[in-house]
Amino acid sequence: YCQGTTSSINIETSVTILDLENDPISSVSIQISSGYVNGEDLLTLDGSNPDFTATWSAVEGKLTLTRSSSTSDYALFENAIGNVLYANSSTTATGLRQFSISLGDANFLPATGHYYEYVSNLGVTWTAAKAAAAARTYYGLQGYLATITSG
């Protein structure tokens, strides 16, 4: 990416999704996980991707690609990820940008090495929530109950 231009660049040109369990997925998210500047950075879906709906969240710096039905045909997702473009509207943009690609509803952040997933369960006890979180996995990563360390 060339600073000072408004041209777009593919964030990834060749990606392979491997899932030994062959789990069907219906969405993939690409997020600017480090260095994101709201109002300047943008991810878009380019090319022909008739099976996908692209939704941009400026608050999160995240582009979600959703299919109307789940599939284990990962080639469709690999192709769509290859068509995601990054652009920055500022002619004075600085800093590095890191991207994370997450399958399904979870959100993987490289900076922490953890995945995050919101699970709605009103009235659950802390002990039950901790046990439920520990029972979850995301592509080999162990689940745990998130701890808020500052307010």
Side-chain angles (χ1 to χ4, degrees), residues 31-36 96-100 110-111:
Q31 184 168 19
I32 305 170
S33 53
S34 177
Y36 174 64
L96 297 175
R97 305 296 188 266
Q98 290 184 334
F99 302 90
S100 61

Side-chain angles (χ1 to χ4, degrees), residues 2-25:
C2 296
Q3 180 182 353
T5 69
T6 57
S7 61
S8 300
I9 187 170
N10 294 82
I11 62 150
E12 181 63 57
T13 57
S14 176
V15 63
T16 302
I17 299 172
L18 296 176
D19 178 15
L20 301 179
E21 297 172 6
N22 206 30
D23 292 329
I25 56 174

Side-chain angles (χ1 to χ4, degrees), residues 32 49-50 58 71 101 130 149:
I32 305 170
N49 303 279
T71 184
I101 300 171
K130 183 178 183 214
T149 58

Side-chain angles (χ1 to χ4, degrees), residues 22-125:
N22 206 30
D23 292 329
I25 56 174
S26 61
S27 67
V28 63
S29 296
I30 300 93
Q31 184 168 19
I32 305 170
S33 53
S34 177
Y36 174 64
V37 178
N38 190 346
E40 292 182 9
D41 294 318
L42 179 65
L43 296 174
T44 57
L45 182 61
D46 190 36
S48 176
N49 303 279
D51 294 331
F52 290 91
T53 301
T55 307
W56 170 246
S57 169
V59 173
E60 299 174 281
K62 180 167 66 172
L63 181 70
T64 302
L65 308 178
T66 307
R67 291 194 74 234
S68 58
S69 62
S70 296
T71 184
S72 297
D73 184 356
Y74 300 130
L76 293 171
F77 286 93
E78 293 167 352
N79 183 59
I81 293 167
N83 289 327
V84 172
L85 301 177
Y86 166 78
N88 184 292
S89 61
S90 173
T91 57
T92 59
T94 59
L96 297 175
R97 305 296 188 266
Q98 290 184 334
F99 302 90
S100 61
I101 300 171
S102 302
L103 304 176
D105 294 330
N107 190 14
F108 177 74
L109 295 180
T112 65
H114 296 294
Y115 75 94
Y116 300 87
E117 179 181 19
Y118 174 74
V119 177
S120 178
N121 191 349
L122 295 175
V124 67
T125 66

Side-chain angles (χ1 to χ4, degrees), residues 135-146:
R136 297 183 77 84
T137 61
Y138 177 74
Y139 296 93
L141 296 174
Q142 179 65 46
Y144 70 97
L145 190 59

